Amino acid sequence: MHEKRLTILCGHYGTGKTNVAVNLALSMRQQGQPVTVADLDIVNPYFRTMDSADAFEHAGIRLICSRFANSNVDIPSLPPDLYAITDDKQTRMVLDIGGDDSGATVLGRLAPAILAEDSFEMWMVVNQYRPLTRDVPSTIEVMEEIAAAAGLPFTGVVNNSNLGEETTAAHVLATVDYAEAVAKAAGVPVVLTTADVGLTPELTGKVPNLFPLELQKNKPF
Amino acid sequence: MAEKVLMKGNEAIAEAAICAGCRHYFGYPITPQTEIAAYMAKKMPKIGGCFLQAESEVAAINMVYGVAATGKRVMTSSSSPGISLKAEGLSYMAGADLPALIVNVQRGGPGLGGIQPSQSDYFQATRGGGHGDYRMLVLAPASVQEMASLTVKGFDLADKYRMTAMILADGTMGQMMEPVSLEFPEAEKVEKPWATTGTDMARPHNIVNSLFLQPDELERVNFERYERYAYIEANETMYEEYLMEDAEICVAAFGIASRVAKNAINEARKQGIKVGMIRPITLWPFPVAPFAAAADKVKSFISVELSMGQMIEDIKLATSCKKPVTLCNRAGGIIPSPEQVLEAIQNAAKNGGAE
């Protein structure tokens, strides 16, 4: 995997950025590196990185997160230790950014320091099965809005195309061309193709840079 | 078959409404249903529709009243406190016999409460919420697919019976993501000769109003409306029965609570407990018949709710209190766990049904 200190995950809302962020952080940590996850989602009050707080603590991953995540405080709020993202250079950082350009606005504030340090990847997480990003032009439109709001350029595309628990290997394979086309239009590579770890045998060698995800099973509802 | 897409419950409602021919949306943002407004804001201008963020919920519901009077399909969406603000308009629409779709993605209350999921607006939805004698059709989806299909159904029923239909969901149903097929049966075309579409000097004026100057006229309209309600109660009830054939304990739950309950029931069945579920899909009209039938078969009922116990009153009414009904609940934005429901089932089994 890449060696840049900061990995920034952006995308249209509901593409699965948080799932990718959690898995990415856990995999970096397994390689023995100090890892911090920064949940900078100011848009969505439900289903947050915060939900993985126990797993992070167990793995020794630091979580930077709004004090009000998963509470009833319904205001866009940033964590008090926000500047640790750019100041604390001893740890690798996975940044989980809120959906669309409104979520990416948060990055604008950090962009000068991120550009100055010049050790970042900014990845666009895409899911072709999301209704508003079904084709290349609509995905590129969202991508350009995010890049403009963030003040940072994209360096890769993460193909996280899935239909939730109904996802099969065929569903993933059907999106390979879409992800390649988005990446080509944006002038960046497809850095990861994600899929539930159970699909690994069927997808190995058939998709670019397969990254297996451990997803939450046995949901209470 | 059309390919599925992965949608949030809120998005599924918005897209299904567009599929159902709704081209007018008026609302005011509130968590946890803001994606509906956001989706409409993005899509409506592209298809020649109207998205308008009103200055308040009160303004939005009166815009809905206005468009409904012209016979066009129209909707609004909100969450609990916002629905309270719309209650006056809902009563006026009932008084004027206007169809529209109202979405309530409930959050914990009362008051401002919180933003986490809840089912504590059951009374408000099924008993009217606004003033006067009236009913709303209340549909309770339990999956993202149902968020879509019941939205289409809600528009159809609203037009057919000239009344408001409400989708009563909760924050989790609104936020959760599941695969959805957006293929729906063609809606029955409902003529609206009462709509204010212009007379072309060819017919008398249509007047849409909820004010009646003569009490006997107002009484007559109320009685007529309740004849329509009685017809709906007899013909439009929807529910799902799960493992009820041999059940000795009947769990009752709707929406998100029914999903938790299903997991608990499956676990209880593994332990040899004969338990099933009746899941009301229409909360008004309430599925009285299956509960009345179950009351002659089962030993007890358990109502699983994200409230202090509201639907439980309808179960007692439907069963004429023939068997004990207990409550298994969480409130304030917290969802009961399958373990909590399982424990309630185990207790009911231990007590031979009665507690």
Side-chain angles (χ1 to χ4, degrees), chain A residues 13-14 44-47 70-72 74 127 129-132 134 162-164 166 219-221, chain B residues 3-8 11 31-32 114-117 171-172 175-177 179 256 259-260 263 338:
Chain A
Y13 73 88
N44 181 12
Y46 280 59
F47 304 121
N70 283 11
S71 80
N72 278 331
D74 190 13
N127 179 356
Y129 295 103
R130 294 283 295 142
L132 296 181
R134 298 280 283 151
N162 74 88
L163 266 179
E166 287 183 19
K219 291 176 188 155
F221 48 77
Chain B
E3 207 182 332
K4 286 185 176 180
V5 289
L6 187 67
M7 293 186 110
K8 282 195 177 204
E11 296 172 326
T31 307
I115 60 171
Q116 302 295 333
T172 304
Q175 296 294 329
M176 70 192 295
M177 296 180 77
I256 188 72
R259 297 169 65 115
V260 178
N263 284 338

mmCIF file of all heavy atoms in Angstrom, chain A residues 13-14 44-47 70-72 74 127 129-132 134 162-164 166 219-221, chain B residues 3-8 11 31-32 114-117 171-172 175-177 179 256 259-260 263 338:
data_model
loop_
_atom_site.group_PDB
_atom_site.id
_atom_site.type_symbol
_atom_site.label_atom_id
_atom_site.label_comp_id
_atom_site.label_asym_id
_atom_site.label_seq_id
_atom_site.Cartn_x
_atom_site.Cartn_y
_atom_site.Cartn_z
ATOM 1 N N TYR A 13 -22.441 11.303 -0.772
ATOM 2 C CA TYR A 13 -22.871 10.694 0.483
ATOM 3 C C TYR A 13 -23.475 9.307 0.244
ATOM 4 O O TYR A 13 -24.098 9.064 -0.772
ATOM 5 C CB TYR A 13 -23.798 11.621 1.268
ATOM 6 C CG TYR A 13 -25.199 11.789 0.739
ATOM 7 C CD1 TYR A 13 -26.222 10.928 1.126
ATOM 8 C CD2 TYR A 13 -25.518 12.839 -0.119
ATOM 9 C CE1 TYR A 13 -27.503 11.087 0.662
ATOM 10 C CE2 TYR A 13 -26.805 13.005 -0.596
ATOM 11 C CZ TYR A 13 -27.793 12.122 -0.198
ATOM 12 O OH TYR A 13 -29.058 12.289 -0.678
ATOM 13 N N GLY A 14 -23.201 8.408 1.198
ATOM 14 C CA GLY A 14 -23.728 7.054 1.080
ATOM 15 C C GLY A 14 -22.903 6.131 0.200
ATOM 16 O O GLY A 14 -23.356 5.049 -0.147
ATOM 17 N N ASN A 44 -23.642 14.131 8.363
ATOM 18 C CA ASN A 44 -24.497 13.001 8.699
ATOM 19 C C ASN A 44 -24.450 12.669 10.193
ATOM 20 O O ASN A 44 -23.394 12.365 10.725
ATOM 21 C CB ASN A 44 -24.033 11.777 7.889
ATOM 22 C CG ASN A 44 -24.878 10.560 8.168
ATOM 23 O OD1 ASN A 44 -25.935 10.644 8.787
ATOM 24 N ND2 ASN A 44 -24.400 9.421 7.731
ATOM 25 N N PRO A 45 -25.583 12.704 10.869
ATOM 26 C CA PRO A 45 -25.572 12.411 12.300
ATOM 27 C C PRO A 45 -25.698 10.920 12.628
ATOM 28 O O PRO A 45 -25.615 10.541 13.780
ATOM 29 C CB PRO A 45 -26.789 13.169 12.806
ATOM 30 C CG PRO A 45 -27.746 13.160 11.653
ATOM 31 C CD PRO A 45 -26.909 13.111 10.400
ATOM 32 N N TYR A 46 -25.954 10.057 11.631
ATOM 33 C CA TYR A 46 -26.165 8.627 11.865
ATOM 34 C C TYR A 46 -25.027 7.834 11.215
ATOM 35 O O TYR A 46 -24.434 8.283 10.250
ATOM 36 C CB TYR A 46 -27.466 8.165 11.211
ATOM 37 C CG TYR A 46 -28.752 8.451 11.948
ATOM 38 C CD1 TYR A 46 -29.116 9.758 12.265
ATOM 39 C CD2 TYR A 46 -29.617 7.429 12.290
ATOM 40 C CE1 TYR A 46 -30.319 10.016 12.904
ATOM 41 C CE2 TYR A 46 -30.821 7.684 12.927
ATOM 42 C CZ TYR A 46 -31.166 8.980 13.228
ATOM 43 O OH TYR A 46 -32.354 9.233 13.850
ATOM 44 N N PHE A 47 -24.814 6.611 11.674
ATOM 45 C CA PHE A 47 -23.845 5.682 11.076
ATOM 46 C C PHE A 47 -22.485 6.348 10.849
ATOM 47 O O PHE A 47 -22.095 6.659 9.730
ATOM 48 C CB PHE A 47 -24.387 5.105 9.758
ATOM 49 C CG PHE A 47 -25.709 4.425 9.903
ATOM 50 C CD1 PHE A 47 -26.816 4.846 9.195
ATOM 51 C CD2 PHE A 47 -25.853 3.367 10.787
ATOM 52 C CE1 PHE A 47 -28.045 4.218 9.349
ATOM 53 C CE2 PHE A 47 -27.071 2.732 10.948
ATOM 54 C CZ PHE A 47 -28.176 3.159 10.227
ATOM 55 N N ASN A 70 -23.072 11.064 17.190
ATOM 56 C CA ASN A 70 -24.020 10.083 17.751
ATOM 57 C C ASN A 70 -24.763 10.613 18.979
ATOM 58 O O ASN A 70 -25.254 9.841 19.779
ATOM 59 C CB ASN A 70 -23.318 8.773 18.117
ATOM 60 C CG ASN A 70 -23.026 7.943 16.879
ATOM 61 O OD1 ASN A 70 -23.162 8.436 15.759
ATOM 62 N ND2 ASN A 70 -22.656 6.707 17.070
ATOM 63 N N SER A 71 -24.801 11.917 19.156
ATOM 64 C CA SER A 71 -25.615 12.462 20.243
ATOM 65 C C SER A 71 -26.776 13.207 19.612
ATOM 66 O O SER A 71 -27.001 13.141 18.417
ATOM 67 C CB SER A 71 -24.794 13.413 21.106
ATOM 68 O OG SER A 71 -24.701 14.679 20.478
ATOM 69 N N ASN A 72 -27.508 13.942 20.426
ATOM 70 C CA ASN A 72 -28.644 14.694 19.894
ATOM 71 C C ASN A 72 -28.277 16.128 19.522
ATOM 72 O O ASN A 72 -29.142 16.922 19.214
ATOM 73 C CB ASN A 72 -29.779 14.709 20.926
ATOM 74 C CG ASN A 72 -30.587 13.425 20.868
ATOM 75 O OD1 ASN A 72 -30.687 12.805 19.817
ATOM 76 N ND2 ASN A 72 -31.149 13.026 21.982
ATOM 77 N N ASP A 74 -27.536 18.520 17.179
ATOM 78 C CA ASP A 74 -27.735 18.489 15.732
ATOM 79 C C ASP A 74 -27.148 19.732 15.085
ATOM 80 O O ASP A 74 -27.850 20.523 14.482
ATOM 81 C CB ASP A 74 -29.237 18.386 15.457
ATOM 82 C CG ASP A 74 -29.535 18.102 13.993
ATOM 83 O OD1 ASP A 74 -28.599 17.739 13.263
ATOM 84 O OD2 ASP A 74 -30.696 18.246 13.597
ATOM 85 N N ASN A 127 -19.497 4.559 -5.789
ATOM 86 C CA ASN A 127 -20.375 3.384 -5.805
ATOM 87 C C ASN A 127 -21.368 3.572 -6.940
ATOM 88 O O ASN A 127 -22.257 4.423 -6.873
ATOM 89 C CB ASN A 127 -21.118 3.240 -4.471
ATOM 90 C CG ASN A 127 -22.051 2.038 -4.462
ATOM 91 O OD1 ASN A 127 -22.209 1.344 -5.480
ATOM 92 N ND2 ASN A 127 -22.681 1.781 -3.328
ATOM 93 N N TYR A 129 -23.750 1.893 -7.785
ATOM 94 C CA TYR A 129 -25.137 1.520 -7.469
ATOM 95 C C TYR A 129 -25.877 2.599 -6.688
ATOM 96 O O TYR A 129 -27.017 2.406 -6.277
ATOM 97 C CB TYR A 129 -25.160 0.180 -6.722
ATOM 98 C CG TYR A 129 -24.659 -0.948 -7.600
ATOM 99 C CD1 TYR A 129 -23.381 -1.457 -7.449
ATOM 100 C CD2 TYR A 129 -25.460 -1.450 -8.620
ATOM 101 C CE1 TYR A 129 -22.905 -2.456 -8.279
ATOM 102 C CE2 TYR A 129 -24.993 -2.460 -9.456
ATOM 103 C CZ TYR A 129 -23.714 -2.966 -9.287
ATOM 104 O OH TYR A 129 -23.254 -3.954 -10.117
ATOM 105 N N ARG A 130 -25.226 3.741 -6.478
ATOM 106 C CA ARG A 130 -25.925 4.869 -5.860
ATOM 107 C C ARG A 130 -26.633 5.642 -6.969
ATOM 108 O O ARG A 130 -26.049 5.926 -8.016
ATOM 109 C CB ARG A 130 -24.924 5.772 -5.123
ATOM 110 C CG ARG A 130 -24.276 5.081 -3.942
ATOM 111 C CD ARG A 130 -25.222 5.033 -2.753
ATOM 112 N NE ARG A 130 -25.510 6.361 -2.257
ATOM 113 C CZ ARG A 130 -26.720 6.747 -1.804
ATOM 114 N NH1 ARG A 130 -27.721 5.912 -1.810
ATOM 115 N NH2 ARG A 130 -26.894 7.966 -1.358
ATOM 116 N N PRO A 131 -27.912 5.992 -6.741
ATOM 117 C CA PRO A 131 -28.734 6.517 -7.838
ATOM 118 C C PRO A 131 -28.236 7.831 -8.453
ATOM 119 O O PRO A 131 -28.481 8.069 -9.624
ATOM 120 C CB PRO A 131 -30.111 6.704 -7.189
ATOM 121 C CG PRO A 131 -29.886 6.656 -5.723
ATOM 122 C CD PRO A 131 -28.685 5.813 -5.498
ATOM 123 N N LEU A 132 -27.555 8.660 -7.707
ATOM 124 C CA LEU A 132 -27.135 9.944 -8.280
ATOM 125 C C LEU A 132 -25.722 9.914 -8.855
ATOM 126 O O LEU A 132 -25.235 10.916 -9.381
ATOM 127 C CB LEU A 132 -27.269 11.079 -7.242
ATOM 128 C CG LEU A 132 -28.712 11.371 -6.766
ATOM 129 C CD1 LEU A 132 -28.725 12.534 -5.764
ATOM 130 C CD2 LEU A 132 -29.658 11.676 -7.928
ATOM 131 N N ARG A 134 -24.657 7.169 -11.093
ATOM 132 C CA ARG A 134 -24.767 5.944 -11.883
ATOM 133 C C ARG A 134 -23.837 5.955 -13.090
ATOM 134 O O ARG A 134 -23.515 4.915 -13.638
ATOM 135 C CB ARG A 134 -26.219 5.752 -12.381
ATOM 136 C CG ARG A 134 -27.237 5.595 -11.286
ATOM 137 C CD ARG A 134 -27.268 4.194 -10.721
ATOM 138 N NE ARG A 134 -27.952 3.262 -11.589
ATOM 139 C CZ ARG A 134 -27.671 1.962 -11.640
ATOM 140 N NH1 ARG A 134 -26.711 1.479 -10.900
ATOM 141 N NH2 ARG A 134 -28.343 1.170 -12.437
ATOM 142 N N ASN A 162 -21.239 -1.312 -4.515
ATOM 143 C CA ASN A 162 -21.872 -2.425 -3.809
ATOM 144 C C ASN A 162 -23.363 -2.211 -3.677
ATOM 145 O O ASN A 162 -23.857 -1.094 -3.777
ATOM 146 C CB ASN A 162 -21.254 -2.579 -2.413
ATOM 147 C CG ASN A 162 -21.709 -1.490 -1.465
ATOM 148 O OD1 ASN A 162 -22.727 -1.619 -0.802
ATOM 149 N ND2 ASN A 162 -20.971 -0.374 -1.415
ATOM 150 N N LEU A 163 -24.070 -3.317 -3.460
ATOM 151 C CA LEU A 163 -25.513 -3.297 -3.223
ATOM 152 C C LEU A 163 -25.801 -3.775 -1.803
ATOM 153 O O LEU A 163 -26.745 -4.521 -1.563
ATOM 154 C CB LEU A 163 -26.229 -4.217 -4.211
ATOM 155 C CG LEU A 163 -26.779 -3.594 -5.498
ATOM 156 C CD1 LEU A 163 -27.427 -4.669 -6.360
ATOM 157 C CD2 LEU A 163 -27.788 -2.495 -5.209
ATOM 158 N N GLY A 164 -24.977 -3.337 -0.868
ATOM 159 C CA GLY A 164 -25.158 -3.768 0.513
ATOM 160 C C GLY A 164 -24.988 -5.258 0.657
ATOM 161 O O GLY A 164 -24.112 -5.858 0.015
ATOM 162 N N GLU A 166 -26.603 -7.621 -0.475
ATOM 163 C CA GLU A 166 -26.919 -8.425 -1.667
ATOM 164 C C GLU A 166 -25.767 -8.474 -2.676
ATOM 165 O O GLU A 166 -25.896 -9.075 -3.733
ATOM 166 C CB GLU A 166 -28.174 -7.870 -2.361
ATOM 167 C CG GLU A 166 -29.447 -8.155 -1.598
ATOM 168 C CD GLU A 166 -30.697 -7.670 -2.317
ATOM 169 O OE1 GLU A 166 -30.643 -7.440 -3.550
ATOM 170 O OE2 GLU A 166 -31.720 -7.504 -1.649
ATOM 171 N N LYS A 219 -26.489 -7.654 12.126
ATOM 172 C CA LYS A 219 -27.047 -6.392 12.606
ATOM 173 C C LYS A 219 -28.284 -6.671 13.454
ATOM 174 O O LYS A 219 -28.983 -7.652 13.238
ATOM 175 C CB LYS A 219 -27.413 -5.509 11.418
ATOM 176 C CG LYS A 219 -26.183 -4.999 10.673
ATOM 177 C CD LYS A 219 -26.558 -4.206 9.441
ATOM 178 C CE LYS A 219 -25.313 -3.887 8.638
ATOM 179 N NZ LYS A 219 -25.616 -3.674 7.230
ATOM 180 N N PRO A 220 -28.555 -5.785 14.425
ATOM 181 C CA PRO A 220 -29.711 -6.030 15.309
ATOM 182 C C PRO A 220 -31.052 -5.896 14.588
ATOM 183 O O PRO A 220 -32.062 -6.328 15.102
ATOM 184 C CB PRO A 220 -29.564 -4.951 16.387
ATOM 185 C CG PRO A 220 -28.687 -3.904 15.791
ATOM 186 C CD PRO A 220 -27.784 -4.620 14.834
ATOM 187 N N PHE A 221 -31.035 -5.276 13.393
ATOM 188 C CA PHE A 221 -32.316 -5.119 12.683
ATOM 189 C C PHE A 221 -32.111 -5.269 11.187
ATOM 190 O O PHE A 221 -30.994 -5.322 10.737
ATOM 191 C CB PHE A 221 -32.948 -3.760 12.978
ATOM 192 C CG PHE A 221 -32.014 -2.597 12.851
ATOM 193 C CD1 PHE A 221 -31.650 -2.086 11.604
ATOM 194 C CD2 PHE A 221 -31.476 -2.021 13.995
ATOM 195 C CE1 PHE A 221 -30.791 -1.006 11.514
ATOM 196 C CE2 PHE A 221 -30.609 -0.932 13.893
ATOM 197 C CZ PHE A 221 -30.271 -0.432 12.655
ATOM 198 N N GLU B 3 -32.613 -3.142 -12.762
ATOM 199 C CA GLU B 3 -31.481 -3.334 -11.887
ATOM 200 C C GLU B 3 -31.721 -2.586 -10.582
ATOM 201 O O GLU B 3 -32.356 -1.539 -10.556
ATOM 202 C CB GLU B 3 -30.226 -2.788 -12.566
ATOM 203 C CG GLU B 3 -28.965 -3.444 -12.111
ATOM 204 C CD GLU B 3 -27.752 -2.830 -12.783
ATOM 205 O OE1 GLU B 3 -27.881 -2.315 -13.903
ATOM 206 O OE2 GLU B 3 -26.689 -2.867 -12.167
ATOM 207 N N LYS B 4 -31.217 -3.137 -9.514
ATOM 208 C CA LYS B 4 -31.401 -2.483 -8.223
ATOM 209 C C LYS B 4 -30.361 -1.383 -8.015
ATOM 210 O O LYS B 4 -29.284 -1.416 -8.615
ATOM 211 C CB LYS B 4 -31.285 -3.510 -7.106
ATOM 212 C CG LYS B 4 -32.501 -4.418 -6.996
ATOM 213 C CD LYS B 4 -32.379 -5.319 -5.796
ATOM 214 C CE LYS B 4 -33.615 -6.169 -5.615
ATOM 215 N NZ LYS B 4 -33.489 -7.052 -4.446
ATOM 216 N N VAL B 5 -30.706 -0.450 -7.161
ATOM 217 C CA VAL B 5 -29.740 0.561 -6.719
ATOM 218 C C VAL B 5 -29.687 0.527 -5.194
ATOM 219 O O VAL B 5 -30.581 -0.004 -4.549
ATOM 220 C CB VAL B 5 -30.095 1.987 -7.211
ATOM 221 C CG1 VAL B 5 -29.869 2.116 -8.693
ATOM 222 C CG2 VAL B 5 -31.530 2.341 -6.844
ATOM 223 N N LEU B 6 -28.618 1.108 -4.648
ATOM 224 C CA LEU B 6 -28.452 1.141 -3.200
ATOM 225 C C LEU B 6 -28.896 2.513 -2.703
ATOM 226 O O LEU B 6 -28.327 3.528 -3.096
ATOM 227 C CB LEU B 6 -26.978 0.897 -2.846
ATOM 228 C CG LEU B 6 -26.656 0.740 -1.353
ATOM 229 C CD1 LEU B 6 -27.258 -0.539 -0.788
ATOM 230 C CD2 LEU B 6 -25.159 0.766 -1.122
ATOM 231 N N MET B 7 -29.917 2.529 -1.878
ATOM 232 C CA MET B 7 -30.462 3.828 -1.465
ATOM 233 C C MET B 7 -30.662 3.918 0.029
ATOM 234 O O MET B 7 -30.936 2.937 0.704
ATOM 235 C CB MET B 7 -31.817 4.061 -2.131
ATOM 236 C CG MET B 7 -31.759 4.237 -3.626
ATOM 237 S SD MET B 7 -33.392 4.673 -4.281
ATOM 238 C CE MET B 7 -33.114 6.355 -4.757
ATOM 239 N N LYS B 8 -30.594 5.154 0.506
ATOM 240 C CA LYS B 8 -31.064 5.456 1.855
ATOM 241 C C LYS B 8 -32.580 5.456 1.827
ATOM 242 O O LYS B 8 -33.187 5.810 0.805
ATOM 243 C CB LYS B 8 -30.611 6.859 2.265
ATOM 244 C CG LYS B 8 -29.188 6.969 2.691
ATOM 245 C CD LYS B 8 -28.970 8.302 3.406
ATOM 246 C CE LYS B 8 -27.540 8.391 3.900
ATOM 247 N NZ LYS B 8 -27.384 9.294 5.022
ATOM 248 N N GLU B 11 -33.931 8.708 0.543
ATOM 249 C CA GLU B 11 -33.810 8.863 -0.911
ATOM 250 C C GLU B 11 -34.857 8.034 -1.638
ATOM 251 O O GLU B 11 -35.404 8.459 -2.659
ATOM 252 C CB GLU B 11 -32.426 8.403 -1.384
ATOM 253 C CG GLU B 11 -31.286 9.215 -0.872
ATOM 254 C CD GLU B 11 -29.952 8.583 -1.216
ATOM 255 O OE1 GLU B 11 -29.850 7.343 -1.255
ATOM 256 O OE2 GLU B 11 -29.015 9.337 -1.461
ATOM 257 N N THR B 31 -33.467 17.175 10.670
ATOM 258 C CA THR B 31 -32.898 15.842 10.864
ATOM 259 C C THR B 31 -33.957 14.953 11.526
ATOM 260 O O THR B 31 -34.658 15.441 12.409
ATOM 261 C CB THR B 31 -31.649 15.935 11.772
ATOM 262 O OG1 THR B 31 -30.764 16.904 11.221
ATOM 263 C CG2 THR B 31 -30.958 14.597 11.905
ATOM 264 N N PRO B 32 -34.082 13.695 11.175
ATOM 265 C CA PRO B 32 -33.252 12.894 10.255
ATOM 266 C C PRO B 32 -33.917 12.609 8.899
ATOM 267 O O PRO B 32 -33.850 11.493 8.418
ATOM 268 C CB PRO B 32 -33.099 11.599 11.040
ATOM 269 C CG PRO B 32 -34.404 11.469 11.806
ATOM 270 C CD PRO B 32 -34.960 12.853 11.993
ATOM 271 N N GLY B 114 -34.867 14.732 20.443
ATOM 272 C CA GLY B 114 -33.533 14.440 19.933
ATOM 273 C C GLY B 114 -33.612 14.118 18.466
ATOM 274 O O GLY B 114 -34.668 14.271 17.850
ATOM 275 N N ILE B 115 -32.507 13.641 17.897
ATOM 276 C CA ILE B 115 -32.512 13.343 16.463
ATOM 277 C C ILE B 115 -32.447 11.845 16.199
ATOM 278 O O ILE B 115 -32.413 11.411 15.064
ATOM 279 C CB ILE B 115 -31.351 14.047 15.724
ATOM 280 C CG1 ILE B 115 -30.004 13.596 16.293
ATOM 281 C CG2 ILE B 115 -31.508 15.551 15.816
ATOM 282 C CD1 ILE B 115 -28.814 14.085 15.465
ATOM 283 N N GLN B 116 -32.424 11.036 17.255
ATOM 284 C CA GLN B 116 -32.323 9.591 17.069
ATOM 285 C C GLN B 116 -33.716 8.974 16.874
ATOM 286 O O GLN B 116 -34.723 9.588 17.202
ATOM 287 C CB GLN B 116 -31.593 8.960 18.259
ATOM 288 C CG GLN B 116 -30.173 9.521 18.491
ATOM 289 C CD GLN B 116 -29.202 9.216 17.366
ATOM 290 O OE1 GLN B 116 -29.356 8.237 16.658
ATOM 291 N NE2 GLN B 116 -28.209 10.076 17.178
ATOM 292 N N PRO B 117 -33.776 7.742 16.314
ATOM 293 C CA PRO B 117 -35.056 7.176 15.872
ATOM 294 C C PRO B 117 -36.068 6.946 16.989
ATOM 295 O O PRO B 117 -35.702 6.656 18.125
ATOM 296 C CB PRO B 117 -34.655 5.837 15.261
ATOM 297 C CG PRO B 117 -33.355 5.504 15.897
ATOM 298 C CD PRO B 117 -32.662 6.811 16.101
ATOM 299 N N GLY B 171 -36.051 7.533 12.215
ATOM 300 C CA GLY B 171 -34.726 7.977 11.797
ATOM 301 C C GLY B 171 -33.856 6.876 11.209
ATOM 302 O O GLY B 171 -33.153 7.092 10.214
ATOM 303 N N THR B 172 -33.932 5.681 11.770
ATOM 304 C CA THR B 172 -33.097 4.596 11.237
ATOM 305 C C THR B 172 -33.582 4.165 9.866
ATOM 306 O O THR B 172 -32.777 3.973 8.953
ATOM 307 C CB THR B 172 -33.081 3.391 12.198
ATOM 308 O OG1 THR B 172 -32.650 3.852 13.472
ATOM 309 C CG2 THR B 172 -32.137 2.315 11.716
ATOM 310 N N GLN B 175 -32.324 6.651 7.407
ATOM 311 C CA GLN B 175 -30.878 6.745 7.181
ATOM 312 C C GLN B 175 -30.263 5.455 6.660
ATOM 313 O O GLN B 175 -29.206 5.478 6.042
ATOM 314 C CB GLN B 175 -30.176 7.133 8.486
ATOM 315 C CG GLN B 175 -30.549 8.511 9.012
ATOM 316 C CD GLN B 175 -30.077 9.613 8.116
ATOM 317 O OE1 GLN B 175 -29.041 9.496 7.451
ATOM 318 N NE2 GLN B 175 -30.819 10.702 8.037
ATOM 319 N N MET B 176 -30.908 4.305 6.927
ATOM 320 C CA MET B 176 -30.263 3.040 6.562
ATOM 321 C C MET B 176 -30.275 2.837 5.046
ATOM 322 O O MET B 176 -31.128 3.381 4.344
ATOM 323 C CB MET B 176 -30.938 1.864 7.260
ATOM 324 C CG MET B 176 -32.317 1.537 6.763
ATOM 325 S SD MET B 176 -33.156 0.379 7.855
ATOM 326 C CE MET B 176 -32.162 -1.056 7.672
ATOM 327 N N MET B 177 -29.288 2.072 4.559
ATOM 328 C CA MET B 177 -29.175 1.838 3.121
ATOM 329 C C MET B 177 -29.432 0.383 2.798
ATOM 330 O O MET B 177 -28.895 -0.507 3.444
ATOM 331 C CB MET B 177 -27.782 2.250 2.637
ATOM 332 C CG MET B 177 -27.525 3.730 2.806
ATOM 333 S SD MET B 177 -25.895 4.199 2.236
ATOM 334 C CE MET B 177 -26.158 4.200 0.495
ATOM 335 N N PRO B 179 -30.614 -2.301 -0.888
ATOM 336 C CA PRO B 179 -30.897 -2.332 -2.325
ATOM 337 C C PRO B 179 -32.394 -2.162 -2.584
ATOM 338 O O PRO B 179 -33.211 -2.681 -1.834
ATOM 339 C CB PRO B 179 -30.438 -3.732 -2.754
ATOM 340 C CG PRO B 179 -29.742 -4.333 -1.595
ATOM 341 C CD PRO B 179 -30.148 -3.594 -0.376
ATOM 342 N N ILE B 256 -39.130 -0.317 12.146
ATOM 343 C CA ILE B 256 -37.827 -0.803 12.597
ATOM 344 C C ILE B 256 -37.969 -1.817 13.732
ATOM 345 O O ILE B 256 -37.218 -2.791 13.812
ATOM 346 C CB ILE B 256 -36.915 0.393 13.026
ATOM 347 C CG1 ILE B 256 -35.492 -0.052 13.309
ATOM 348 C CG2 ILE B 256 -37.475 1.126 14.228
ATOM 349 C CD1 ILE B 256 -34.708 -0.414 12.066
ATOM 350 N N ARG B 259 -38.266 -5.396 12.649
ATOM 351 C CA ARG B 259 -37.021 -6.040 12.190
ATOM 352 C C ARG B 259 -36.253 -6.619 13.383
ATOM 353 O O ARG B 259 -35.699 -7.719 13.312
ATOM 354 C CB ARG B 259 -36.152 -5.049 11.416
ATOM 355 C CG ARG B 259 -36.823 -4.559 10.140
ATOM 356 C CD ARG B 259 -36.071 -3.384 9.542
ATOM 357 N NE ARG B 259 -34.751 -3.740 9.091
ATOM 358 C CZ ARG B 259 -34.353 -3.714 7.821
ATOM 359 N NH1 ARG B 259 -35.203 -3.348 6.865
ATOM 360 N NH2 ARG B 259 -33.125 -4.035 7.490
ATOM 361 N N VAL B 260 -36.188 -5.854 14.461
ATOM 362 C CA VAL B 260 -35.547 -6.334 15.683
ATOM 363 C C VAL B 260 -36.311 -7.555 16.201
ATOM 364 O O VAL B 260 -35.728 -8.581 16.555
ATOM 365 C CB VAL B 260 -35.527 -5.225 16.761
ATOM 366 C CG1 VAL B 260 -34.907 -5.750 18.046
ATOM 367 C CG2 VAL B 260 -34.769 -3.998 16.259
ATOM 368 N N ASN B 263 -35.657 -10.901 14.434
ATOM 369 C CA ASN B 263 -34.424 -11.563 14.881
ATOM 370 C C ASN B 263 -34.646 -12.287 16.201
ATOM 371 O O ASN B 263 -34.173 -13.413 16.398
ATOM 372 C CB ASN B 263 -33.292 -10.530 15.042
ATOM 373 C CG ASN B 263 -32.727 -10.096 13.699
ATOM 374 O OD1 ASN B 263 -32.867 -10.804 12.708
ATOM 375 N ND2 ASN B 263 -32.112 -8.929 13.653
ATOM 376 N N PRO B 338 -32.392 -7.095 20.076
ATOM 377 C CA PRO B 338 -33.017 -8.417 19.934
ATOM 378 C C PRO B 338 -33.001 -9.177 21.258
ATOM 379 O O PRO B 338 -33.924 -9.916 21.561
ATOM 380 C CB PRO B 338 -32.139 -9.110 18.884
ATOM 381 C CG PRO B 338 -31.471 -8.016 18.131
ATOM 382 C CD PRO B 338 -31.314 -6.882 19.095
#
